[in-house]
Amino acid sequence: MQYFSLLFFVSCGLSAPLFGLGSSGEDSRATTPVTLATVNATLLRPAQFARAAYCSGASLKAHTCGGPCDSLQGVTFLQTGGGAMLSSQYFIAHDTVHQSIVVAHEGTHPENILSDLIDANFLLTDIDTSRFPQTAGQGIKVHSGFQDTFQRTADSILAGVHSALNSTGVTTVVVTGHSLVGAAIATMTGAMLKLALAPSVKVVVTTFAPPRGGNKAWADFLDSKVGGTFVTNQNDPVPNVPPLILGFTHPSGEIHIVDSSQKNLVSCPGHDNEHCVAGNSILHTDLINHFGAQSVSNDSACTELMHCRPLF
């Protein structure tokens, strides 16, 4: 049986007051268990694609990226891009197993994440209504740095997805990513595609360990127009930045890994449920958990899902 399994390949401490500030939760409703069958059916494949996004575009197209490519049999990588300064690397692929087009954004590399967290720009800015016209007049604000990064590849991704849908005939698009950049940009990409593509195209957004990307109006908009699921793991500090006290809010759709067994997962209703990652104690954040929501194990082996290089 496959299940999420913790990978201990980072050992760092964080300043708890900085990253826990204001993270007391907004919703107090009870959580409900998520079965491992549901995890395998809905989270495993997006996690495998999010892992592959850490590989180079050349290695993906040549299927020479080792484990990440080996886990994605039946996949043709159609387009890669980004990766330049201030730009998020991404790929577009055709998943013939699940008959979908996949867009995956590379996340923040482990060796950079601590400095990125400390230096993070926590400014809210008006959403670009020229790209998201349906948001006009709703008071929506998003993280300024994430929006800037999203804008740099948005046009090429939209064109690539249109081309992929036309050439393959599939009607489902899956968008995924991990960590500060990958998950945040994937959320905006998913929203763009949901609003820009024909209503007959199903857009599924599944991200791992995302930061908060905007204000409550943005979270409400995502809930009503886009939907989505995001996975958080135990005491990971990343989903609690930027802090609630600065006006940032997660949308609905959190699935929380409760403990190190990686077998106990719960669905968290509402925005920033206090029984899930938003309720973490500021004294017990652990960056190790940021890299543990991304692996899937079977009876005989563990497969790293979020990092291209081998652990050992």
Side-chain angles (χ1 to χ4, degrees), residues 108-125:
T108 306
H109 280 272
E111 60 268 26
N112 298 332
I113 193 165
L114 185 60
S115 62
D116 286 353
L117 281 170
I118 293 171
D119 295 336
N121 177 0
F122 290 169
L123 295 179
L124 283 165
T125 191

Side-chain angles (χ1 to χ4, degrees), residues 69-80:
C69 284
D70 293 342
S71 68
L72 292 174
Q73 299 299 312
V75 173
T76 301
F77 294 96
L78 303 173
Q79 177 178 317
T80 61

Side-chain angles (χ1 to χ4, degrees), residues 72-119:
L72 292 174
Q73 299 299 312
V75 173
T76 301
F77 294 96
L78 303 173
Q79 177 178 317
T80 61
M85 185 177 294
L86 302 178
S87 178
S88 171
Q89 178 175 285
Y90 72 88
F91 67 75
I92 300 173
H94 177 205
D95 182 356
T96 64
V97 175
H98 292 270
Q99 287 302 308
S100 62
I101 299 301
V102 179
V103 181
H105 285 275
E106 180 186 20
T108 306
H109 280 272
E111 60 268 26
N112 298 332
I113 193 165
L114 185 60
S115 62
D116 286 353
L117 281 170
I118 293 171
D119 295 336

Side-chain angles (χ1 to χ4, degrees), residues 22-87:
S23 295
S24 59
E26 292 187 335
D27 197 297
S28 60
R29 285 177 289 171
T31 62
T32 56
V34 177
T35 67
L36 294 178
T38 298
V39 170
N40 291 330
T42 62
L43 301 179
L44 174 59
R45 195 66 164 176
Q48 290 170 333
F49 280 107
R51 175 199 186 192
Y54 282 94
C55 299
S56 70
S59 69
L60 290 172
K61 288 191 171 183
H63 283 264
T64 57
C65 58
C69 284
D70 293 342
S71 68
L72 292 174
Q73 299 299 312
V75 173
T76 301
F77 294 96
L78 303 173
Q79 177 178 317
T80 61
M85 185 177 294
L86 302 178
S87 178

Side-chain angles (χ1 to χ4, degrees), residues 251-275:
S252 301
E254 180 181 3
I255 301 294
H256 185 60
I257 301 173
V258 175
D259 57 42
S260 60
S261 76
Q262 304 286 285
K263 296 182 182 180
N264 297 314
L265 295 90
V266 294
S267 176
C268 313
H271 297 168
D272 292 288
N273 191 293
E274 67 181 23
H275 303 299

Side-chain angles (χ1 to χ4, degrees), residues 111-201:
E111 60 268 26
N112 298 332
I113 193 165
L114 185 60
S115 62
D116 286 353
L117 281 170
I118 293 171
D119 295 336
N121 177 0
F122 290 169
L123 295 179
L124 283 165
T125 191
D126 290 337
I127 194 167
D128 180 1
T129 55
S130 65
R131 194 174 294 282
F132 298 98
Q134 298 90 337
T135 65
Q138 298 185 43
I140 293 176
K141 293 181 179 293
V142 295
H143 186 288
S144 61
F146 296 155
Q147 178 163 256
D148 288 346
T149 303
F150 158 77
Q151 298 278 34
R152 295 185 182 101
T153 56
D155 290 336
S156 60
I157 289 174
L158 182 57
V161 170
H162 273 300
S163 176
L165 290 171
N166 290 335
S167 65
T168 63
V170 304
T171 57
T172 299
V173 177
V174 175
V175 186
T176 189
H178 166 250
S179 192
L180 277 168
V181 177
I185 306 308
T187 300
M188 299 198 78
T189 295
M192 173 187 70
L193 295 174
K194 179 68 175 180
L195 301 176
L197 298 176
S200 59
V201 177

Side-chain angles (χ1 to χ4, degrees), residues 7-13 110-111 113 286-289 291 311:
L7 290 173
F8 292 95
F9 67 89
V10 172
S11 179
C12 288
E111 60 268 26
I113 193 165
D286 192 342
L287 191 57
I288 290 174
N289 294 153
F291 303 102
L311 279 178

